[in-house]
Amino acid sequence: MFKKQYVKINVIAAMFSALAIAFATSGCDTPAAKNNTGESESTSEKVEVSTDNTNESSTENTTEEDDNRVLYQSYLNNTLRVEGSYFLEKYQEMIDLYGELQAYYYDVDEDGEKELLINEPSYGFDIFDVKDGSVYLLTCGDGTSAFCSVYEGNGHTYISHSDFSHMGRQYQDLARYDAEGRIVEQMSIYAEYFDAEEDVYNENSDFTYNGKPITMQEYEAYMDTYKFVDPDVMEKAVFDMPAPTAKAKTDYNIYEEYYTIVDQADPLKWDGFQLIDLDEDGTLELFATCTNENRPDPGMQPYMIVCYNDQGVVMNDDLGDGVASAGGYRGTLYYLPGTGKLLDSAIQAPLGLPSDTIYEMKDGSINYTQYGGFDVTEYPDDDDYNSWDPMEHGEWNWMNEPVSEDEYKQKFLEATENTSGIAMSEIDYMDKESILKKLKELM
């Protein structure tokens, strides 16, 4: 099996799996658009060289790669604009969050010249190339559903956009580029197992290569053909990493409050913690959970999201998911990155009817805003449920109003905004000691 990196939303029941796939594989990972001649043309803007660029030098008697390296170094030194932004304008927030960024040089398009790769911890590489003397963004990661990395196989180098972290699937899109930034070869290698009781594929899972069905053995053979290029073997770019910017006083107060909450937390109630920018406003929320099996209902995992407003922190501690020991709830709670929203995707016993509830963070509080599901409207006369399909005897509803299945899907997409959610249970939580250390660094 292949190692996971992140996790994902299992969109409401199997009937929406195709919908989830379509959205999970979209975004910045399509680096070049096709023109009407069938060739790919770059959609990235050209570089604008700042007039205060002190790193410009004569290109006489130098190789083309030397010239490119001067441009890359100028960008890293924050004296050159690429696509309208200096290096720190694009990456300062990430430096503040993670402390530093790593950059590398590697030949990703087999032209004999190394390109600049900047590693974003959550998205993978931003890959920059030079064309006609200008630096441009060749391609980049697009969240956990399109993590950008480099692979090699069959004697070639490929840029990968992959998802080995979400429940129910493993996606690998590979693209080989030429020196002009055009895609000359593409492959998609997918495994889907949304209905598997355990989050692993087997002989009965769905495997495809470029959209065509293949066997599990063929899938594994394709995956073994292409090998991940570890950044440790790449040439590391040398540049002065700027210091994190000073944080505003409000940030200090917020993280001090988080520190107190964690420090005083009952370990039998909250034993896992993480910091996540739920709405991507630049300030982190505190996520907490309990993995202790002695919790009141071992089938249900509780969560707390500590947010904030002008008056201070707000502890939203009535969230949870799993399989209820009493009642008919069986569901998964996801957070939807960048939206400030949560999705509770559930199946209600005894009939197994799907339902969705969307929560949204506003002024520090997390409350449900929209909901929908499937309701049965008629039952068999003889109480014989063995051959009776409830999904054929009811209707979809959204906010208590009947809708068609297509209307339901559309309203679901509008309400969630981001179908590439991350399961709360699959977050890489820290222990108490580790999160206190992290908070201390942010204070």
Side-chain angles (χ1 to χ4, degrees), residues 59-271:
T59 58
E60 293 180 6
N61 302 319
T62 62
T63 66
E64 185 171 349
E65 183 166 15
D66 290 335
D67 296 341
N68 295 352
R69 190 66 63 94
V70 169
L71 292 172
Y72 294 143
Q73 198 66 49
S74 295
Y75 180 51
L76 293 171
N77 291 341
N78 207 45
T79 60
L80 183 71
R81 286 194 184 99
V82 173
E83 298 188 341
S85 298
Y86 288 108
F87 177 82
L88 287 184
E89 291 176 323
K90 181 175 177 64
Y91 295 108
Q92 182 67 65
E93 184 177 329
M94 198 157 299
I95 293 170
D96 291 342
L97 183 59
Y98 294 102
E100 65 176 336
L101 290 180
Q102 300 296 330
Y104 305 90
Y105 293 115
Y106 199 78
D107 185 3
V108 300
D109 57 9
E110 304 177 358
D111 64 351
E113 301 164 3
K114 294 180 180 179
E115 285 68 47
L116 174 65
L117 288 65
I118 297 176
N119 191 23
E120 296 199 36
S122 297
Y123 291 178
F125 287 130
D126 289 348
I127 301 179
F128 296 90
D129 199 358
V130 174
K131 186 175 183 180
D132 298 329
S134 298
V135 180
Y136 72 102
L137 181 66
L138 177 66
T139 187
C140 62
D142 187 25
T144 59
S145 295
F147 191 86
C148 185
S149 51
V150 179
Y151 278 70
E152 292 183 345
N154 290 328
H156 292 292
T157 301
Y158 298 86
I159 296 175
S160 165
H161 289 89
S162 62
D163 182 358
F164 298 144
S165 58
H166 289 98
M167 297 174 63
R169 72 188 195 194
Q170 292 186 7
Y171 292 168
Q172 175 89 314
D173 290 317
L174 296 166
R176 180 161 63 92
Y177 286 77
D178 67 9
E180 298 300 315
R182 296 173 298 204
I183 295 176
V184 295
E185 182 184 6
Q186 286 181 286
M187 291 158 289
S188 296
I189 314 169
Y190 291 179
E192 296 173 359
Y193 39 98
F194 295 108
D195 296 330
E197 293 186 5
E198 298 183 5
D199 191 28
V200 293
Y201 64 72
N202 55 44
E203 291 279 359
N204 297 319
S205 303
D206 295 325
F207 305 93
T208 59
Y209 177 80
N210 289 345
K212 296 181 180 179
I214 57 175
T215 66
M216 185 178 81
Q217 291 74 23
E218 290 173 319
Y219 170 81
E220 293 182 336
Y222 280 124
M223 294 299 289
D224 287 340
T225 299
Y226 306 99
K227 303 298 182 183
F228 173 72
V229 179
D230 194 315
D232 287 344
V233 305
M234 299 179 179
E235 179 188 352
K236 194 168 183 178
V238 179
F239 64 105
D240 293 330
M241 176 59 62
T245 56
K247 297 177 176 59
K249 187 68 172 78
T250 54
D251 288 343
Y252 280 99
N253 292 338
I254 291 167
Y255 298 130
E256 287 174 1
E257 292 284 349
Y258 291 170
Y259 188 98
T260 301
I261 291 170
V262 174
D263 191 43
Q264 298 178 355
D266 181 349
L268 297 180
K269 188 173 182 180
W270 307 113
D271 60 6

Side-chain angles (χ1 to χ4, degrees), residues 93 97 255 274-287 308 335-340 361:
E93 184 177 329
L97 183 59
Y255 298 130
Q274 188 53 271
L275 295 167
I276 296 172
D277 191 352
L278 182 60
D279 54 356
E280 295 187 356
D281 67 346
T283 303
L284 303 168
E285 282 71 42
L286 173 66
F287 284 49
Y308 54 89
Y335 79 87
L336 308 179
T339 65
M361 178 180 69

Side-chain angles (χ1 to χ4, degrees), residues 267-427:
L268 297 180
K269 188 173 182 180
W270 307 113
D271 60 6
F273 307 89
Q274 188 53 271
L275 295 167
I276 296 172
D277 191 352
L278 182 60
D279 54 356
E280 295 187 356
D281 67 346
T283 303
L284 303 168
E285 282 71 42
L286 173 66
F287 284 49
T289 191
C290 179
T291 59
N292 192 316
E293 294 182 356
N294 295 320
R295 55 185 182 252
D297 186 345
M300 291 292 291
Q301 186 167 349
Y303 307 103
M304 173 172 63
I305 301 180
V306 184
C307 308
Y308 54 89
N309 56 31
D310 292 340
Q311 285 71 48
V313 296
V314 181
M315 299 172 64
N316 301 278
D317 57 359
D318 57 353
L319 305 167
D321 66 3
V323 181
S325 58
Y329 174 86
R330 177 174 182 170
T332 302
L333 185 66
Y334 306 90
Y335 79 87
L336 308 179
T339 65
K341 294 182 179 182
L342 307 175
L343 167 66
D344 186 349
S345 182
I347 298 294
Q348 305 293 336
L351 300 179
L353 302 177
S355 68
D356 296 285
T357 304
I358 292 91
Y359 298 82
E360 186 169 3
M361 178 180 69
K362 289 187 177 180
D363 198 28
S365 296
I366 295 178
N367 300 296
Y368 80 83
T369 57
Q370 298 188 63
Y371 54 89
F374 191 87
D375 290 337
V376 170
T377 57
E378 58 182 7
Y379 296 85
D381 296 332
D382 55 4
D383 293 332
D384 180 12
Y385 292 89
N386 293 330
S387 59
W388 180 78
D389 184 356
M391 300 300 292
E392 296 179 356
H393 299 275
E395 62 185 9
W396 292 96
N397 72 81
W398 190 264
M399 300 295 286
N400 295 325
E401 294 291 335
V403 294
S404 68
E405 184 176 343
D406 287 341
E407 289 173 329
Y408 186 95
K409 293 178 182 179
Q410 182 60 37
K411 290 181 179 296
F412 174 83
L413 292 176
E414 292 173 354
T416 56
E417 297 182 46
N418 180 355
T419 60
S420 194
I422 299 176
M424 296 282 289
S425 61
E426 296 295 330
I427 293 172

